[in-house]
Amino acid sequence: MEILARLPAKSVGRFRCVSRSWCAMLSSVYFVEFHRRHANRPDRPRLLLTAVGSSYEGHLHSWQPGGAVERLMPDDFSDGEIVPLTKPCQGLILVRGIDYGGYFVCNPSTGAVLPLPDSKAPLKMIRRTKLFEPYLPPFFVSVSYGLGYCPVRKEHKVVRLFSNPEGEYDMTPTSCEVFVLDAPAYWRPSAEQPPLCSVEEENPAVFLHGRLHFLCSDGGITTFNVSDETFGSLSAPPGFQNVEPVLAELDGSLCVCYGEPDSQNTYHVSVLRDYKEGRWEMLCYIDGTTWSESDRALLKSLWMAPLGMYCSDGEQKIMFGTGACKVFAVDLDGSAPQILFTPDETIIGSCEDYDVPVLGLFEESLVHVGHTIEEMIALSPTTEAWFNILKWLPTRSVLEFGLVCRAWRAMTMMDEFIQSHAVHANLNKSPRIMFIMDPRFGMYMDLEKFTDELRPHLISDLVCTQPCHGLNAGSCAFWDFICNPAIGYCEHISFDDNDGTFFAGRIGLGYNTEINKHIVVHITYKAKNLETRYYELQCKMRHVNEEQWRPVDPPPRPVAATPPAYANGKIYWLVEPNLGPVSTRCEIVAFDVKTHEFEVLQGPPCIHDSRRMTIIQLQGALCVACSNWGMNTLDIWMMKDSDIWLMEYHIELENFLPDYLSENTTPLAVDPKNGQILLNAGWSLGYYDPKTARIDTIYTEDIPEHGIKFCPIICQESLFCPLSPQ
């Protein structure tokens, strides 16, 4: 044990394979702590290098003074570049993926990474409506994270503090949430309400003496006791005004570093010598005017912070890192720096200057980062059984059961549960019908809640697609939207190329089962001429929970002004018969959500003269509804194979005039319990029974003027809320 405790963590991991007794010994809590104390030498700090240099090859790197740069672990666990936020906390560090890449707890020695839930776009930082409540939940614009360790319970805690800038949203108090590693729970409120303060994401908390220290925008420091979860405060050093400080830990003391606001050649380093009395002491003052021109460039880096104390030739120095991934040491008197590391001649390559930390300390450690919620559920037969019960319940019931305990809350927030619930909670269920009351604010209402005084809003130029794995898409004149009426989620999508012309086929929604993400496809006309049949399309796509649109090759045929439909991994549009090549038969354009490619399919044997066609999905199959205006009939064709179409239903509407005109009637869904077809005629809504050829009208309005109509929407039981950082 004495020998193995001095080896690197990866070497110890290999020795666990020697025998069962060695595996048990080297995995014990005692040895993990014993190894952490003996495998790290204070005089030889190890640095984690996360900079993306000119020779970038998808890895994080490590370096020790006097040694070579080594590849450490892949950095593909985040969508953004990795930024180390904390010093090692009992062997673990907190890192962040910039550009909304999320937060992670990482052990660089073993390569283990634990993604933190709700950290890419935290719910508390997004304006949203609250289900079944008339008021908005708290909204915050700033957050700061920290990682601490409770020695009493021997557990790591990630703590985040939400706040708003001073002078804004004054009525919103500060909020604090705690996430305990390796516990079957979600983010929860801290035991004590935090004091009113303002924090920034660029200033993560520093863990020292059992407390997390959050630097506030007014220069004060808010402390959080990790053990009993109480708050306190510390005063800032004297002369600490109008500066951009960095809070750090240096030689076991809290440290504040800052440059003078009117000079780029000076730098102050103050340490808190007496924690109880709040006595600060100036440890080092750097006067860059005494340095050479090349050395002064270090002080002008977009980011600079102390990493730790460094011993050279028997003298104590302060080791600094910069945003260009350079490391230098300075005597306590602030004399000329000693350059310790530059990335240019290493496997990293030359680096640009960043305004975020691209390097930090880490230590050899066998400490486990903890299990994900999914792993803990798999290890608990009881929780797994509740998983299989709750996934069948309606959305509102699941939300209420999420309040039973922290473990259930965490389980119902899992992506795996949300995806499974969207499938199982809708099996063999009659369609849930809601109406869009106001597309601007995502207001929806169930059909059963209407009264003589409260009726659906009649709206022109508004369409909505059928549900696609728990979400719907729609268009109106000036914007598109993605929504989940079951929970009140609605995201507006605006476009620079929108001229205000309503086009019902503008947006399509699909679901990629390989990556479990919804895909939005946006198609617009750059030019079209009905006389010459000339047209030009442009197309782009993105995932629903992302912001970046990616251009894709436009479809090979013009698309019609009817809402698209999704079925069996593809989004389908009808082809516009008045543009492009002449075709006597109905054609369909299909977009594969996995390959991102379009193809042209032959539609049913329908002709376009005196007929209105819509494309829909019924009972999991692609269908085309073809209306005959002269006969007032509606034929529903179903695709049985790639090019085989069969007429599944023939509906005669002559006996149901004037409520049901074939040119206004669209099938919405089929009730799996009795096979009846839900028809929407714009001002009448009813179920058609294929057995009796009768329509049971469930809601109707007086026939309006000016082409306005109500907009029913089929709502699936769904917990999908793909919030993006927007």
Side-chain angles (χ1 to χ4, degrees):
M1 186 177 288
E2 289 284 347
I3 296 172
L4 298 178
R6 287 161 172 79
L7 297 181
K10 290 186 178 180
S11 298
V12 175
R14 297 188 188 100
F15 277 112
R16 286 174 175 172
C17 302
V18 171
S19 67
R20 293 179 179 176
S21 61
W22 276 35
C23 181
M25 176 185 71
L26 301 182
S27 302
S28 65
V29 176
Y30 172 80
F31 179 81
V32 169
E33 178 60 24
F34 188 73
H35 170 268
R36 192 185 65 82
R37 294 196 307 266
H38 289 78
N40 299 284
R41 292 175 52 183
D43 59 333
R44 294 201 65 193
R46 298 195 66 183
L47 267 63
L48 172 67
L49 310 177
T50 66
V52 176
S54 58
S55 302
Y56 174 71
E57 50 185 24
H59 279 74
L60 304 180
H61 299 84
S62 66
W63 174 79
Q64 280 185 302
V69 174
E70 300 176 355
R71 290 184 184 87
L72 191 61
M73 58 180 289
D75 65 352
D76 56 356
F77 53 86
S78 172
D79 296 333
E81 297 174 9
I82 300 301
V83 173
L85 300 180
T86 64
K87 286 189 174 183
C89 175
Q90 293 290 314
L92 304 181
I93 63 173
L94 183 67
V95 301
R96 175 170 70 98
I98 61 175
D99 296 331
Y100 306 106
Y103 284 76
F104 307 82
V105 175
C106 174
N107 183 341
S109 302
T110 62
V113 177
L114 178 70
L116 297 178
D118 189 40
S119 63
K120 289 186 177 182
L123 285 174
K124 287 184 179 294
M125 297 184 69
I126 295 178
R127 288 190 180 273
R128 65 200 192 281
T129 57
K130 188 175 181 182
L131 186 63
F132 314 122
E133 295 291 343
Y135 56 86
L136 292 176
F139 166 72
F140 301 93
V141 299
S142 299
V143 65
S144 180
Y145 284 72
L147 174 65
Y149 181 76
C150 174
V152 178
R153 302 179 63 90
K154 298 189 182 301
E155 59 187 14
H156 286 84
K157 294 181 180 180
V158 180
V159 181
R160 60 183 183 183
L161 204 58
F162 292 96
S163 70
N164 286 315
E166 294 183 8
E168 299 183 26
Y169 314 103
D170 289 334
M171 299 304 294
T172 303
T174 311
S175 178
C176 181
E177 291 185 335
V178 179
F179 184 86
V180 181
L181 269 59
D182 213 24
Y186 203 68
W187 293 100
R188 60 169 175 80
S190 57
E192 183 177 277
Q193 174 66 29
L196 191 63
C197 61
S198 179
V199 296
E200 296 179 354
E201 192 168 24
E202 293 75 18
N203 296 320
V206 175
F207 180 66
L208 184 67
H209 304 319
R211 293 177 173 84
L212 285 168
H213 300 76
F214 293 90
L215 183 63
C216 303
S217 57
D218 61 356
I221 298 172
T222 297
T223 65
F224 177 82
N225 190 308
V226 176
S227 296
D228 60 16
E229 300 187 5
T230 57
F231 288 88
S233 62
L234 290 172
S235 59
F240 185 65
Q241 290 90 21
N242 302 321
V243 296
E244 296 183 1
V246 173
L247 191 65
E249 179 266 325
L250 190 62
D251 198 26
S253 298
L254 196 64
C255 168
V256 171
C257 309
Y258 57 95
E260 294 183 3
D262 55 351
S263 174
Q264 289 186 320
N265 296 319
T266 57
Y267 201 76
H268 299 257
V269 180
S270 298
V271 294
L272 186 62
R273 288 303 187 192
D274 192 325
Y275 196 89
K276 293 183 178 181
E277 298 296 330
R279 180 173 59 84
W280 292 87
E281 176 184 297
M282 178 71 72
L283 180 65
C284 178
Y285 173 74
I286 297 176
D287 184 2
T289 58
T290 63
W291 292 9
S292 66
E293 184 66 29
S294 60
D295 290 341
R296 277 201 302 271
L298 296 171
L299 297 176
K300 298 178 182 179
S301 174
L302 297 177
W303 174 84
M304 191 178 89
L307 300 176
M309 302 302 295
Y310 176 73
C311 184
S312 176
D313 300 328
E315 295 184 2
Q316 286 285 96
K317 299 185 177 183
I318 304 176
M319 182 168 60
F320 289 89
T322 73
C325 199
K326 295 180 180 180
V327 181
F328 65 94
V330 176
D331 291 331
L332 298 183
D333 59 5
S335 57
Q338 175 188 353
I339 306 298
L340 301 178
F341 175 79
T342 57
D344 303 58
E345 302 300 326
T346 69
I347 59 176
I348 297 177
S350 59
C351 299
E352 297 181 1
D353 194 12
Y354 291 86
D355 59 355
V356 294
V358 296
L359 45 81
L361 295 178
F362 83 98
E363 61 186 20
E364 289 290 343
S365 170
L366 295 166
V367 176
H368 184 42
V369 297
H371 295 90
T372 63
I373 300 297
E374 291 82 356
E375 292 170 340
M376 284 184 279
I377 288 177
L379 295 173
S380 171
T382 303
T383 308
E384 187 174 9
W386 279 113
F387 180 104
N388 292 322
I389 294 173
L390 297 180
K391 70 182 182 182
W392 295 92
L393 300 183
T395 301
R396 180 167 184 171
S397 299
V398 173
L399 295 177
E400 292 171 346
F401 276 114
L403 304 176
V404 170
C405 62
R406 294 169 185 166
W408 284 19
R409 165 71 171 169
M411 179 180 65
T412 56
M413 296 292 289
M414 288 168 37
D415 289 340
E416 182 182 350
F417 179 85
I418 293 173
Q419 293 154 12
S420 181
H421 173 264
V423 174
H424 293 85
N426 294 289
L427 289 176
N428 299 320
K429 297 288 183 66
S430 297
R432 179 182 175 185
I433 306 168
M434 301 185 77
F435 284 85
I436 299 179
M437 303 297 287
D438 193 332
R440 296 172 299 173
F441 305 105
M443 295 177 60
Y444 316 94
M445 185 168 290
D446 279 286
L447 174 64
E448 292 79 7
K449 294 185 178 180
F450 287 119
T451 63
D452 293 337
E453 292 77 22
L454 182 61
R455 308 178 73 84
H457 291 180
L458 301 180
I459 309 171
S460 62
D461 295 340
L462 175 65
V463 295
C464 191
T465 67
Q466 295 171 289
C468 171
H469 209 73
L471 293 180
N472 301 70
S475 295
C476 53
F478 293 98
W479 68 82
D480 300 327
F481 58 90
I482 306 293
C483 65
N484 178 357
I487 60 173
Y489 162 79
C490 184
E491 176 194 353
H492 284 182
I493 303 176
S494 301
F495 302 98
D496 297 334
D497 56 359
N498 187 2
D499 59 1
T501 303
F502 178 66
F503 178 57
R506 188 167 54 204
I507 187 169
L509 179 66
Y511 187 76
N512 189 337
T513 55
E514 288 187 353
I515 59 176
N516 291 318
K517 287 186 177 182
H518 287 85
I519 290 180
V520 185
V521 179
H522 179 255
I523 300 177
T524 53
Y525 279 95
K526 295 176 65 176
K528 61 179 177 180
N529 188 317
L530 296 178
E531 295 182 359
T532 63
R533 304 184 68 89
Y534 172 79
Y535 74 95
E536 187 178 354
L537 288 174
Q538 59 185 1
C539 181
K540 53 189 175 182
M541 59 148 288
R542 70 170 172 88
H543 294 117
V544 170
N545 61 340
E546 297 177 357
E547 297 183 4
Q548 189 66 38
W549 289 91
R550 287 170 282 176
V552 295
D553 293 334
R557 295 286 192 277
V559 296
T562 57
Y566 171 79
N568 303 319
K570 295 181 180 180
I571 308 174
Y572 297 91
W573 284 263
L574 287 174
V575 170
E576 172 57 55
N578 298 314
L579 294 172
V582 177
S583 175
T584 58
R585 184 175 171 177
C586 169
E587 289 185 315
I588 296 172
V589 169
F591 178 82
D592 193 309
V593 298
K594 296 179 181 177
T595 64
H596 302 166
E597 295 178 349
F598 284 96
E599 62 177 328
V600 179
L601 303 175
Q602 287 295 318
C606 300
I607 59 174
H608 297 288
D609 295 340
S610 301
R611 290 177 180 268
R612 171 181 174 267
M613 288 186 244
T614 55
I615 191 164
I616 50 178
Q617 178 265 116
L618 298 176
Q619 298 174 306
L622 182 67
C623 297
V624 171
C626 183
S627 64
N628 187 320
W629 298 352
M631 304 294 294
N632 200 33
T633 60
L634 186 67
D635 296 332
I636 301 178
W637 294 79
M638 182 176 291
M639 188 170 71
K640 299 295 184 179
D641 206 342
S642 57
D643 284 323
I644 300 177
W645 291 86
L646 296 177
M647 186 186 295
E648 196 74 9
Y649 303 99
H650 174 75
I651 304 175
E652 297 184 359
L653 299 173
E654 190 68 22
N655 296 329
F656 307 103
L657 292 175
D659 291 338
Y660 296 91
L661 294 173
S662 62
E663 61 264 32
N664 297 326
T665 303
T666 302
L668 295 182
V670 175
D671 192 329
K673 294 183 177 181
N674 52 29
Q676 294 183 1
I677 306 170
L678 179 63
L679 300 178
N680 172 31
W683 48 80
S684 295
L685 196 65
Y687 277 103
Y688 173 79
D689 190 338
K691 298 177 182 179
T692 63
R694 297 192 61 82
I695 296 180
D696 178 19
T697 299
I698 58 177
Y699 190 84
T700 187
E701 286 276 353
D702 294 334
I703 298 178
E705 298 178 356
H706 310 299
I708 58 176
K709 57 185 179 180
F710 55 55
C711 188
I713 181 173
I714 302 301
C715 171
Q716 287 185 339
E717 297 294 344
S718 169
L719 294 163
F720 272 103
C721 186
L723 297 170
S724 68
Q726 292 174 319

